[in-house]
Amino acid sequence: MRILLLWLINALSLLAVPYVLPSVSVDSFYAALVTALLLGLINTLIRPLLVLVTLPITILTLGLFTLVINGLLFWFVSSFVEGFRVGGFWSAFWGAIVYSLISSVASWLLIPRPRLPPPPPPRQEPPGDYIDSTARRL
């Protein structure tokens, strides 16, 4: 259920990106659903390999090259999905940033987070004259 809700939030976030960046366009909700699914799959399967291959550049740029990878993958997905268009690399770069910001904020607001269990009660120390007969000494 949580994955479907994330998918829907990502698709709606993708529909909001053209309002911020006119060079990115999404024709329909169906195109947004397909694009969100493909972005999720590519970010799960291909992105880790790209990050690993470009690790020296990523370290040299203190992690900023990861933004370039995100933009390239955003642009890559636009070449496959009919109804999702990106104007160029810089449009994809900023579109990926705006998309991730919108979807992160929407996910944070709409998806309930599991609550942490309460901490265990403090352990009571035995009285001073207590002898632990179960302790083993070597």
Side-chain angles (χ1 to χ4, degrees):
M1 182 69 181
R2 181 178 166 95
I3 291 177
L4 292 176
L5 186 58
L6 277 172
W7 182 32
L8 181 65
I9 288 172
N10 287 338
L12 291 173
S13 301
L14 200 57
L15 284 173
V17 171
Y19 291 103
V20 179
L21 294 170
S23 57
V24 175
S25 68
V26 181
D27 290 344
S28 65
F29 183 68
Y30 176 74
L33 280 173
V34 171
T35 304
L37 180 67
L38 277 177
L39 276 171
L41 288 174
I42 285 178
N43 280 332
T44 302
L45 301 174
I46 296 174
R47 185 175 179 268
L49 296 173
L50 287 175
V51 170
L52 186 64
V53 168
T54 61
L55 192 59
I57 298 170
T58 305
I59 291 172
L60 271 171
T61 61
L62 301 175
L64 292 177
F65 192 73
T66 308
L67 296 174
V68 173
I69 292 173
N70 288 343
L72 288 173
L73 291 177
F74 197 76
W75 195 16
F76 179 67
V77 168
S78 72
S79 66
F80 286 110
V81 179
E82 197 66 36
F84 175 60
R85 287 178 295 284
V86 177
F89 169 73
W90 289 109
S91 299
F93 178 83
W94 291 110
I97 291 174
V98 169
Y99 169 67
S100 68
L101 288 174
I102 293 172
S103 66
S104 295
V105 169
S107 297
W108 182 74
L109 289 174
L110 297 175
I111 296 179
R113 287 161 298 287
R115 297 192 182 263
L116 294 175
R123 189 173 162 201
Q124 294 181 355
E125 294 293 324
D129 58 346
Y130 176 76
I131 298 175
D132 185 10
S133 62
T134 61
R136 297 183 181 199
R137 296 186 185 196
L138 295 174

